[in-house]
Amino acid sequence: MIFSKIDFINLLPFHIYIKKNIKSNQLKSSIEYKKSYPSKITNSFKKRKTHSAFISSIGSRNEKFLDFGIVARDYVDSVLILPNRKNKDDFQSKTSNALAKVLELDGEVIIGDKALKFYHDNKDEDFIDLAKQWQNRYNLPFVFSVLCYNKYESRLKKLTKNFDKRKIKIPQYILEQYSKRSGISKKNILDYLTKIDYDIGYKEKRALKLFLKLTKQKGII
């Protein structure tokens, strides 16, 4: 099974879980090898170059997915729009660019670890948290990504069924690696991860359905 994951801090607990729970060295190596940013992973999955992947939620229309993804219920700090800058999409994203358009917000979209670093390093510049803006408008969480599959459904369910972010302890050496790579302190990484959820329940499905409906109405791919 070729599995792709988003190589951002927001999936670090799942990354740790996979490391500890996958027995096959071949599968472990495929997960490590097939990692990138959301828009690239989504394109790869759509071309069926991978069997399962966390893909941008805007790309999940007509795809099969588990009740598992990347969810924000309030401020997320890693998906921002900078209203005092020229309109610009983030090439790493599909969903966040679309979300800014759905919310009719102008400015530069930034996502992921670089956005989280910007949040901590640039308190004097205006920015809008897109997850919070969505929640304010629709009183729903926002689903940024979903775990889709085109093959090996039972294997994927078995792989994810025991995941519980509350039980995941991130080793200090891995925190150190991510901190050094991103320029974000270990404390801020841990604080950030409390704002990310992974379970997709009734409200999350309503939110995803609404988002896909709004993007279709506005002609956003």
Side-chain angles (χ1 to χ4, degrees), residues 189-202:
I189 287 174
L190 292 174
D191 287 345
Y192 166 64
L193 289 173
T194 65
K195 301 178 181 184
I196 304 294
D197 279 319
Y198 305 95
D199 296 325
I200 296 179
Y202 174 71

Side-chain angles (χ1 to χ4, degrees), residues 61 102 134 206-219:
R61 189 181 278 113
V102 164
W134 167 271
R206 275 184 58 207
L208 180 58
K209 185 177 180 180
L210 176 60
F211 175 63
L212 294 176
K213 177 183 175 182
L214 292 170
T215 55
K216 188 174 183 179
Q217 286 176 350
K218 291 178 178 290

Side-chain angles (χ1 to χ4, degrees), residues 9 175 178-179 184-193:
I9 290 169
L175 267 179
Y178 273 74
S179 177
I184 301 163
S185 73
K186 291 186 286 185
K187 178 184 181 301
N188 286 338
I189 287 174
L190 292 174
D191 287 345
Y192 166 64
L193 289 173

Side-chain angles (χ1 to χ4, degrees), residues 109-170:
V109 176
I110 57 172
I111 72 156
D113 298 352
K114 66 180 180 296
L116 184 59
K117 180 172 169 52
F118 181 94
Y119 168 81
H120 287 291
D121 292 352
N122 296 274
K123 297 293 187 180
D124 293 335
E125 183 168 350
D126 289 340
F127 55 81
I128 298 168
D129 188 302
L130 289 177
K132 181 60 176 175
Q133 196 75 4
W134 167 271
Q135 197 251 353
N136 285 345
R137 188 170 300 187
Y138 298 109
N139 196 29
L140 287 168
F142 191 78
V143 180
F144 284 100
S145 176
V146 291
L147 182 52
C148 289
Y149 62 91
N150 53 59
K151 202 174 181 181
Y152 302 116
E153 177 184 3
S154 59
R155 194 183 299 184
L156 191 63
K157 285 181 176 178
K158 185 177 180 181
L159 175 66
T160 59
K161 72 175 183 177
N162 293 322
F163 175 78
D164 183 345
K165 78 165 190 174
R166 295 167 298 181
K167 296 179 181 178
I168 304 297
K169 291 200 70 174
I170 302 171

Side-chain angles (χ1 to χ4, degrees), residues 86-93 96-98 100-101 107-110:
K86 291 182 180 179
N87 286 3
K88 183 180 178 182
D89 288 344
D90 190 317
F91 76 94
Q92 292 186 320
S93 174
S96 301
N97 297 332
K101 293 176 176 67
E108 180 180 350
V109 176
I110 57 172

Side-chain angles (χ1 to χ4, degrees), residues 6 16 23 26 32 50 58 65 93 107 113 116 124 135:
I6 298 167
I16 300 299
K23 306 301 180 186
Q26 185 178 359
E32 287 301 313
T50 59
I58 195 170
F65 59 88
S93 174
D113 298 352
L116 184 59
D124 293 335
Q135 197 251 353

